[in-house]
Amino acid sequence: MARASARHILVDSEEKCNELKAKIEGGSDFAEIARNFSTCPSGQQGGALGEFGPGQMVREFDEVVFSGELNKVLGPVKTQFGYHLLEVTSRSE
């Protein structure tokens, strides 16, 4: 079964998500941005979500994690929780 490890940043607006994505792409540290801005408790661990399989996260999240490019900031991804930036750190088939 496929497994993935990812980290994310959760915020309440698409605008904030895009602003943070630009900071990371400009050289800011993903984990530091997660600690300072993410509204998810995982932010305190730099956004790390650990390892999980398909179906363990909401559908919109799963679609990106199991098809998106590795080690690249992806998003904004809108879910029922808000807007996410995702970085898939590993994936196995």
Side-chain angles (χ1 to χ4, degrees), residues 40-53:
C40 180
S42 69
Q44 296 312 304
Q45 287 78 47
L49 296 170
E51 188 177 87
F52 52 91

Side-chain angles (χ1 to χ4, degrees), residues 6-42:
R7 54 189 186 166
H8 83 133
I9 298 168
L10 174 64
V11 294
D12 61 2
S13 75
E14 187 172 7
E15 294 76 23
K16 187 66 171 178
C17 219
N18 283 321
E19 177 187 318
L20 296 177
K21 183 176 185 177
K23 285 181 185 241
I24 294 165
E25 289 174 341
S28 292
D29 181 62
F30 189 104
E32 189 64 29
I33 296 287
R35 279 190 283 277
N36 290 324
F37 294 99
S38 185
T39 60
C40 180
S42 69

Side-chain angles (χ1 to χ4, degrees), residues 3 9 22 33 37 45-47 51 55-56 59 62 73 87:
R3 304 287 294 165
I9 298 168
I33 296 287
F37 294 99
Q45 287 78 47
E51 188 177 87
Q56 289 185 265
R59 181 183 51 81
D62 263 12
V73 179
E87 183 182 51

Side-chain angles (χ1 to χ4, degrees), residues 68-93:
E69 193 176 332
L70 289 175
N71 301 308
K72 182 173 191 276
V73 179
L74 307 170
V77 176
K78 185 179 188 317
T79 71
Q80 68 203 43
F81 303 105
Y83 293 85
H84 306 258
L85 289 178
L86 303 171
E87 183 182 51
V88 183
T89 54
S90 72
R91 185 170 53 227
S92 64
E93 300 307 319

